[in-house]
Amino acid sequence: MTLKFDRQGLIPAVIQDDESNEVLMVAFMNEEALRLTRETGYTHFYSRSRQAIWRKGEQSGHAQQVRAIFVNCEENSLLIRVVQQGGAACHEGYRSCYYRRLLPDDRYELVARRVFDPAEVYGHPGHQLSAGEIPAPKSATPAQPPLPEKRPAAQAGNEEIADEALSGHLETLLRQLYTAYLYLRDHDLSEQSHTSRLLQERNPAYLLGRLADELQELAGVLQGTHRHQNLQADIVLEGSQVGYWLLLLAATHQVRYEDFQPHQALLAGYWAAVGEEQAVEQQQACLSALASAERAHLIEGLNLGFALVGRACALAGLSPLEPARYDLEQMRRKGLVP
């Protein structure tokens, strides 16, 4: 078998109903998830936000029994025909994840009925689609998904409930921020923007020093030794500052967003149960890696830094979206983003 997994070690899998031929969902597998799928006869997937394998239906009971697995001509995607148990594949309560049609005027038309209430199964209300049509979302900062009541790491048994939605929200925010910083790097707006001036100077040693300061202050907020207002407000402030210096370092080193994907690293830290001692080691490893000129080390350092922001958000009971939201709002006030 010569399947072509991507640079993250993943391959997309289209899930199709074996009887009706209806496309039920699309998800990602790594080699381990594919192995478990073949060995057990039930679909397993890889969550990019939790960076963990999950079995479809492990919470809802809506498992998928595999009938056959097909490989496309380029060997870079899978088609898996299944028997869908429980009547629904979508965590929003619909049989298929493709329950809306995109209309020419950019609205969504609801074309299916809910099979179950996601509030009863997962504890979240799902999309409110009682009307026949709703406007398609156009905002660059979509509505925030519900925040778990407990520390996210305690919910490792949850399946994809809001994982992909949360990851998509966060990616949208961070991509918008990074795109703005790249513009300020490539266009000299030093007179109007301090950030542009920093990026024009191309001084990674200075940026790394500022990052070290902000990482220390972020740790101080969690330890109770550094305080401006209150825990949550201070985590938003310091977390946004850590993210700011990380993105400036990435821009200075000309790292593409696709190469370090900060939203995934931040969510990995958000879901993980990392103790204080391990976090200190992670902070040191982050700064050490970012001091290197090797690209692989730079990417490792960026990921470690964003994971620390995610950890801080989780400990403070904050949505991982908040630091990026805060940064975007500051840039809007300065007229740097729409």
Side-chain angles (χ1 to χ4, degrees):
M1 183 171 62
T2 57
L3 290 178
K4 298 174 183 176
F5 294 84
D6 65 17
R7 284 183 293 181
Q8 283 74 48
L10 303 177
I11 191 169
V14 178
I15 309 302
Q16 184 178 36
D17 187 277
D18 189 52
E19 295 182 1
S20 68
N21 293 324
E22 182 179 15
V23 174
L24 299 175
M25 59 181 285
V26 176
F28 288 89
M29 293 181 171
N30 61 5
E31 290 189 22
E32 178 69 7
L34 178 57
R35 182 186 66 79
L36 288 170
T37 296
R38 299 178 73 188
E39 288 183 357
T40 66
Y42 289 88
T43 55
H44 289 69
F45 303 106
Y46 184 81
S47 169
R48 292 172 294 172
S49 55
R50 281 203 313 266
Q51 297 191 355
I53 292 173
W54 57 277
R55 178 177 59 81
K56 177 63 181 172
E58 62 189 357
Q59 182 181 9
S60 66
H62 300 163
Q64 295 169 339
Q65 187 174 6
V66 176
R67 285 287 186 253
I69 301 177
F70 298 87
V71 182
N72 74 330
C73 57
E74 295 184 351
E75 299 180 311
N76 60 3
S77 69
L78 302 174
L79 172 67
I80 303 180
R81 295 179 66 89
V82 303
V83 174
Q84 177 64 55
Q85 299 177 357
C90 180
H91 71 278
E92 295 294 344
Y94 296 88
R95 176 165 179 77
S96 167
C97 291
Y98 300 95
Y99 55 86
R100 295 172 292 184
R101 179 185 291 118
L102 180 61
L103 300 176
D105 60 0
D106 288 338
R107 289 185 300 159
Y108 292 156
E109 178 187 13
L110 184 65
V111 295
R113 291 184 178 181
R114 272 200 171 115
V115 176
F116 67 86
D117 183 355
E120 295 179 359
V121 176
Y122 301 121
H124 76 94
H127 294 308
Q128 302 303 309
L129 294 173
S130 55
E133 299 176 0
I134 62 171
K138 292 179 178 290
S139 171
T141 55
Q144 176 180 328
L147 184 68
E149 294 180 0
K150 300 179 181 179
R151 173 76 190 269
Q155 299 183 354
N158 283 2
E159 48 182 311
E160 81 278 19
I161 305 172
D163 279 10
E164 299 306 326
L166 184 61
S167 179
H169 281 259
L170 187 56
E171 181 177 3
T172 296
L173 296 174
L174 288 174
R175 276 188 181 274
Q176 189 175 6
L177 273 173
Y178 196 50
T179 298
Y181 295 147
L182 293 180
Y183 182 87
L184 293 173
R185 180 197 67 189
D186 298 336
H187 299 79
D188 190 352
L189 302 178
S190 299
E191 293 186 3
Q192 303 103 297
S193 168
H194 177 64
T195 298
S196 184
R197 183 163 66 252
L198 289 172
L199 291 168
Q200 298 302 316
E201 292 172 354
R202 289 175 167 77
N203 186 351
Y206 173 78
L207 301 179
L208 184 60
R210 293 302 306 272
L211 172 64
D213 292 340
E214 295 301 337
L215 281 171
Q216 195 60 39
E217 291 187 3
L218 181 65
V221 171
L222 291 173
Q223 295 163 2
T225 59
H226 183 82
R227 185 73 79 235
H228 296 288
Q229 300 180 49
N230 56 61
L231 176 62
Q232 290 194 336
D234 290 351
I235 290 298
V236 170
L237 175 63
E238 302 300 347
S240 70
Q241 286 296 300
V242 170
Y244 172 78
W245 295 109
L246 285 167
L247 290 179
L248 261 58
L249 277 163
T252 298
H253 287 292
Q254 299 188 346
V255 180
R256 299 186 312 159
Y257 187 97
E258 291 75 13
D259 291 338
F260 70 112
Q261 302 198 49
H263 62 286
Q264 292 189 12
L266 197 151
L267 286 176
Y270 184 68
W271 291 112
V274 174
E276 184 174 344
E277 183 176 345
Q278 186 178 350
V280 171
E281 295 175 355
Q282 190 171 323
Q283 178 177 328
Q284 294 171 346
C286 165
L287 296 172
S288 176
L290 287 171
S292 170
E294 293 188 21
R295 199 167 194 79
H297 290 164
L298 290 171
I299 292 172
E300 178 189 4
L302 293 169
N303 288 336
L304 288 170
F306 276 104
L308 287 168
V309 176
R311 172 183 181 268
C313 288
L315 289 173
L318 278 169
S319 164
L321 303 174
E322 290 308 313
R325 285 182 183 276
Y326 177 85
D327 260 358
L328 275 175
E329 182 58 31
Q330 300 305 307
M331 295 191 75
R332 285 196 186 94
R333 290 178 181 176
K334 298 173 184 176
L336 296 174
V337 296

